[in-house]
Amino acid sequence: MVRGAGVGPFAAVSFAYFGFAGLFSTWAPIWYASLGFSTFAIGALVALQSATRIVAPYAWGSLADRSGRRERLLRVAAGGALIASLGFLADPAMGRVAAVCLVLSLCTAGVLPINETLLASRVTRDGVLDVGRYGRVRLWGSVGFVGAVTGSGFVLQAAGTGRFPWLASAMLLLLFGLTLRLPKTFEPTPASTSTSGALAVLREPVVAWFFVGLFFTVLAHTALYAFYSLHLASLGYAKGTIGLLWGAGVVAEVLWFAGQGRWLHRASPHRWLLVAALVSAVRFALIAAFASELLVLVAAQLLHALTVAAQHSACVAVVSRHFPGRLRARGQALYAVIGYGLSGVIGGLAGGALSQVHGFPSVFWAASAVSCVAAFACLRSLAVEAARGPSSSR
């Protein structure tokens, strides 16, 4: 699947995890709507899932760093998610669905940071991420995402939205099976990590501004993951078309990951984060203003290459540099907590309330404005990096 010693199994796990993430983020809101849940209730469910990411990833990451049993914990997380998903097959009352979402999110919150930690330990040398090799592995996550979203769109169109829980459990079964194939990874602890904790690193100005920019960039993207499918469905787009639009964005993401080794080195990670935030503002404005124009939607989805793929790789490069060795899982966990925890809670609740009063376009206008705030924070991190001198740009 991927050239390079021992990285193929991590690509496979990424494929299955992002396949599930794509399936869930795209079709869960529409399944909730088919059960009769209000737009605000759907936003609250999205916020509930995000709320688990305020504490769960760091708890998983800290346990993984301290125990050293990262592969075993990854299997526990994937197995727990599979068992939890079976609850969707029972009576889909609001309370039961919320409880299943809570447990499911607590478990899946551990999968990505641990898998990314294991992968980063194999493609990082002297604190510098090999972005070309990382991209060739990570692109399989995008392939899984686009395959699951596109394929499930046509399956649900033919079989009905009620089949969504079965598809979700099937993807998690695949994920659990693939975690059983992971090789054991050993990473010696650098001496420097014994005196510096993850929270101490977080207080460094360049790192602090990085996380502020991350928070607002992901907050803006909550509009995409929670309300994009609902927005298009409300305009009359078929499920298959919605799936293809998601697919167009992820195809752009795959192409970026495949070739990023030729591009990312041309600027520092912080500069790429600034570009991603600015392009996000444009992307969400296009969705807000021209959602009835299919060609404009396709163009906006192709910007996924910069707003998600380039942004993610730049984030991983920053985290790998500032959180080496036995701090790595906690650094990845902070990335998940700050980027995808509270931002998702705020985005889900605020987006649900905003869409109920002013309609879905207002959510995407708000996302465009939030992206501008993210761009300011990224500009500040870039300025701090420049002030530290050339040695800080790696």
Side-chain angles (χ1 to χ4, degrees), residues 35-55:
L35 298 177
F37 298 168
S38 68
T39 304
F40 182 77
I42 293 171
L45 285 172
V46 172
L48 175 65
Q49 297 161 41
S50 298
T52 63
R53 284 164 169 76
I54 296 176
V55 294

mmCIF file of all heavy atoms in Angstrom, residues 35-55:
data_model
loop_
_atom_site.group_PDB
_atom_site.id
_atom_site.type_symbol
_atom_site.label_atom_id
_atom_site.label_comp_id
_atom_site.label_asym_id
_atom_site.label_seq_id
_atom_site.Cartn_x
_atom_site.Cartn_y
_atom_site.Cartn_z
ATOM 1 N N LEU A 35 -35.107 10.832 11.804
ATOM 2 C CA LEU A 35 -35.731 10.365 13.043
ATOM 3 C C LEU A 35 -36.653 11.420 13.648
ATOM 4 O O LEU A 35 -37.299 11.172 14.668
ATOM 5 C CB LEU A 35 -34.647 10.008 14.067
ATOM 6 C CG LEU A 35 -33.686 8.867 13.672
ATOM 7 C CD1 LEU A 35 -32.632 8.670 14.751
ATOM 8 C CD2 LEU A 35 -34.448 7.572 13.436
ATOM 9 N N GLY A 36 -36.701 12.599 13.020
ATOM 10 C CA GLY A 36 -37.579 13.660 13.487
ATOM 11 C C GLY A 36 -36.922 14.651 14.427
ATOM 12 O O GLY A 36 -37.608 15.496 15.008
ATOM 13 N N PHE A 37 -35.606 14.593 14.585
ATOM 14 C CA PHE A 37 -34.915 15.524 15.471
ATOM 15 C C PHE A 37 -34.880 16.914 14.832
ATOM 16 O O PHE A 37 -34.716 17.043 13.616
ATOM 17 C CB PHE A 37 -33.483 15.065 15.749
ATOM 18 C CG PHE A 37 -33.384 13.729 16.446
ATOM 19 C CD1 PHE A 37 -32.166 13.067 16.535
ATOM 20 C CD2 PHE A 37 -34.498 13.120 17.018
ATOM 21 C CE1 PHE A 37 -32.055 11.835 17.181
ATOM 22 C CE2 PHE A 37 -34.402 11.898 17.662
ATOM 23 C CZ PHE A 37 -33.182 11.252 17.736
ATOM 24 N N SER A 38 -35.010 17.954 15.654
ATOM 25 C CA SER A 38 -34.965 19.326 15.154
ATOM 26 C C SER A 38 -33.543 19.715 14.778
ATOM 27 O O SER A 38 -32.568 19.045 15.159
ATOM 28 C CB SER A 38 -35.479 20.296 16.225
ATOM 29 O OG SER A 38 -34.570 20.354 17.317
ATOM 30 N N THR A 39 -33.413 20.806 14.038
ATOM 31 C CA THR A 39 -32.084 21.292 13.659
ATOM 32 C C THR A 39 -31.260 21.610 14.896
ATOM 33 O O THR A 39 -30.049 21.330 14.951
ATOM 34 C CB THR A 39 -32.197 22.541 12.780
ATOM 35 O OG1 THR A 39 -32.999 22.237 11.639
ATOM 36 C CG2 THR A 39 -30.831 23.016 12.310
ATOM 37 N N PHE A 40 -31.885 22.209 15.918
ATOM 38 C CA PHE A 40 -31.145 22.523 17.141
ATOM 39 C C PHE A 40 -30.697 21.242 17.844
ATOM 40 O O PHE A 40 -29.582 21.165 18.364
ATOM 41 C CB PHE A 40 -32.008 23.360 18.082
ATOM 42 C CG PHE A 40 -31.280 23.764 19.338
ATOM 43 C CD1 PHE A 40 -30.359 24.797 19.326
ATOM 44 C CD2 PHE A 40 -31.504 23.091 20.528
ATOM 45 C CE1 PHE A 40 -29.670 25.158 20.478
ATOM 46 C CE2 PHE A 40 -30.823 23.438 21.686
ATOM 47 C CZ PHE A 40 -29.902 24.482 21.650
ATOM 48 N N ALA A 41 -31.569 20.212 17.855
ATOM 49 C CA ALA A 41 -31.204 18.941 18.479
ATOM 50 C C ALA A 41 -30.036 18.293 17.746
ATOM 51 O O ALA A 41 -29.132 17.724 18.372
ATOM 52 C CB ALA A 41 -32.404 17.995 18.496
ATOM 53 N N ILE A 42 -30.038 18.408 16.424
ATOM 54 C CA ILE A 42 -28.937 17.861 15.635
ATOM 55 C C ILE A 42 -27.640 18.600 15.974
ATOM 56 O O ILE A 42 -26.586 17.984 16.159
ATOM 57 C CB ILE A 42 -29.250 17.963 14.125
ATOM 58 C CG1 ILE A 42 -30.426 17.041 13.783
ATOM 59 C CG2 ILE A 42 -28.019 17.601 13.289
ATOM 60 C CD1 ILE A 42 -30.960 17.217 12.373
ATOM 61 N N GLY A 43 -27.724 19.930 16.068
ATOM 62 C CA GLY A 43 -26.555 20.703 16.461
ATOM 63 C C GLY A 43 -26.066 20.321 17.849
ATOM 64 O O GLY A 43 -24.862 20.275 18.112
ATOM 65 N N ALA A 44 -27.017 20.031 18.748
ATOM 66 C CA ALA A 44 -26.641 19.632 20.114
ATOM 67 C C ALA A 44 -25.932 18.276 20.116
ATOM 68 O O ALA A 44 -24.983 18.061 20.880
ATOM 69 C CB ALA A 44 -27.888 19.571 20.994
ATOM 70 N N LEU A 45 -26.362 17.342 19.257
ATOM 71 C CA LEU A 45 -25.694 16.043 19.161
ATOM 72 C C LEU A 45 -24.277 16.202 18.634
ATOM 73 O O LEU A 45 -23.342 15.548 19.113
ATOM 74 C CB LEU A 45 -26.498 15.101 18.258
ATOM 75 C CG LEU A 45 -27.776 14.511 18.862
ATOM 76 C CD1 LEU A 45 -28.568 13.766 17.807
ATOM 77 C CD2 LEU A 45 -27.434 13.581 20.028
ATOM 78 N N VAL A 46 -24.115 17.085 17.643
ATOM 79 C CA VAL A 46 -22.770 17.359 17.126
ATOM 80 C C VAL A 46 -21.905 17.967 18.231
ATOM 81 O O VAL A 46 -20.738 17.609 18.405
ATOM 82 C CB VAL A 46 -22.841 18.307 15.911
ATOM 83 C CG1 VAL A 46 -21.439 18.750 15.482
ATOM 84 C CG2 VAL A 46 -23.550 17.618 14.747
ATOM 85 N N ALA A 47 -22.499 18.874 19.005
ATOM 86 C CA ALA A 47 -21.768 19.512 20.103
ATOM 87 C C ALA A 47 -21.406 18.495 21.178
ATOM 88 O O ALA A 47 -20.316 18.555 21.763
ATOM 89 C CB ALA A 47 -22.610 20.632 20.709
ATOM 90 N N LEU A 48 -22.308 17.538 21.442
ATOM 91 C CA LEU A 48 -22.032 16.499 22.439
ATOM 92 C C LEU A 48 -20.824 15.665 22.024
ATOM 93 O O LEU A 48 -19.943 15.375 22.842
ATOM 94 C CB LEU A 48 -23.256 15.601 22.603
ATOM 95 C CG LEU A 48 -23.088 14.380 23.526
ATOM 96 C CD1 LEU A 48 -22.840 14.832 24.959
ATOM 97 C CD2 LEU A 48 -24.323 13.481 23.442
ATOM 98 N N GLN A 49 -20.782 15.289 20.758
ATOM 99 C CA GLN A 49 -19.647 14.522 20.258
ATOM 100 C C GLN A 49 -18.356 15.325 20.398
ATOM 101 O O GLN A 49 -17.310 14.792 20.781
ATOM 102 C CB GLN A 49 -19.879 14.152 18.795
ATOM 103 C CG GLN A 49 -21.084 13.242 18.584
ATOM 104 C CD GLN A 49 -21.569 13.254 17.149
ATOM 105 O OE1 GLN A 49 -20.782 13.250 16.211
ATOM 106 N NE2 GLN A 49 -22.880 13.291 16.968
ATOM 107 N N SER A 50 -18.415 16.612 20.091
ATOM 108 C CA SER A 50 -17.229 17.454 20.194
ATOM 109 C C SER A 50 -16.822 17.673 21.646
ATOM 110 O O SER A 50 -15.631 17.814 21.951
ATOM 111 C CB SER A 50 -17.495 18.808 19.518
ATOM 112 O OG SER A 50 -17.762 18.635 18.141
ATOM 113 N N ALA A 51 -17.808 17.706 22.556
ATOM 114 C CA ALA A 51 -17.506 17.945 23.969
ATOM 115 C C ALA A 51 -16.590 16.870 24.531
ATOM 116 O O ALA A 51 -15.739 17.144 25.389
ATOM 117 C CB ALA A 51 -18.802 18.008 24.781
ATOM 118 N N THR A 52 -16.732 15.639 24.040
ATOM 119 C CA THR A 52 -15.867 14.569 24.528
ATOM 120 C C THR A 52 -14.409 14.839 24.166
ATOM 121 O O THR A 52 -13.496 14.352 24.844
ATOM 122 C CB THR A 52 -16.286 13.207 23.942
ATOM 123 O OG1 THR A 52 -16.123 13.222 22.521
ATOM 124 C CG2 THR A 52 -17.735 12.903 24.285
ATOM 125 N N ARG A 53 -14.199 15.613 23.119
ATOM 126 C CA ARG A 53 -12.835 15.895 22.674
ATOM 127 C C ARG A 53 -12.168 17.013 23.471
ATOM 128 O O ARG A 53 -11.032 17.381 23.179
ATOM 129 C CB ARG A 53 -12.840 16.211 21.181
ATOM 130 C CG ARG A 53 -12.988 14.942 20.345
ATOM 131 C CD ARG A 53 -13.387 15.183 18.908
ATOM 132 N NE ARG A 53 -13.266 13.961 18.124
ATOM 133 C CZ ARG A 53 -14.100 12.943 18.156
ATOM 134 N NH1 ARG A 53 -15.151 12.989 18.970
ATOM 135 N NH2 ARG A 53 -13.909 11.869 17.420
ATOM 136 N N ILE A 54 -12.874 17.539 24.452
ATOM 137 C CA ILE A 54 -12.250 18.524 25.337
ATOM 138 C C ILE A 54 -11.298 17.839 26.304
ATOM 139 O O ILE A 54 -10.261 18.380 26.677
ATOM 140 C CB ILE A 54 -13.333 19.317 26.101
ATOM 141 C CG1 ILE A 54 -14.191 20.124 25.108
ATOM 142 C CG2 ILE A 54 -12.702 20.242 27.129
ATOM 143 C CD1 ILE A 54 -15.345 20.848 25.760
ATOM 144 N N VAL A 55 -11.638 16.619 26.709
ATOM 145 C CA VAL A 55 -10.800 15.912 27.686
ATOM 146 C C VAL A 55 -10.318 14.551 27.201
ATOM 147 O O VAL A 55 -9.213 14.121 27.554
ATOM 148 C CB VAL A 55 -11.555 15.745 29.025
ATOM 149 C CG1 VAL A 55 -11.798 17.091 29.672
ATOM 150 C CG2 VAL A 55 -12.886 15.006 28.822
#
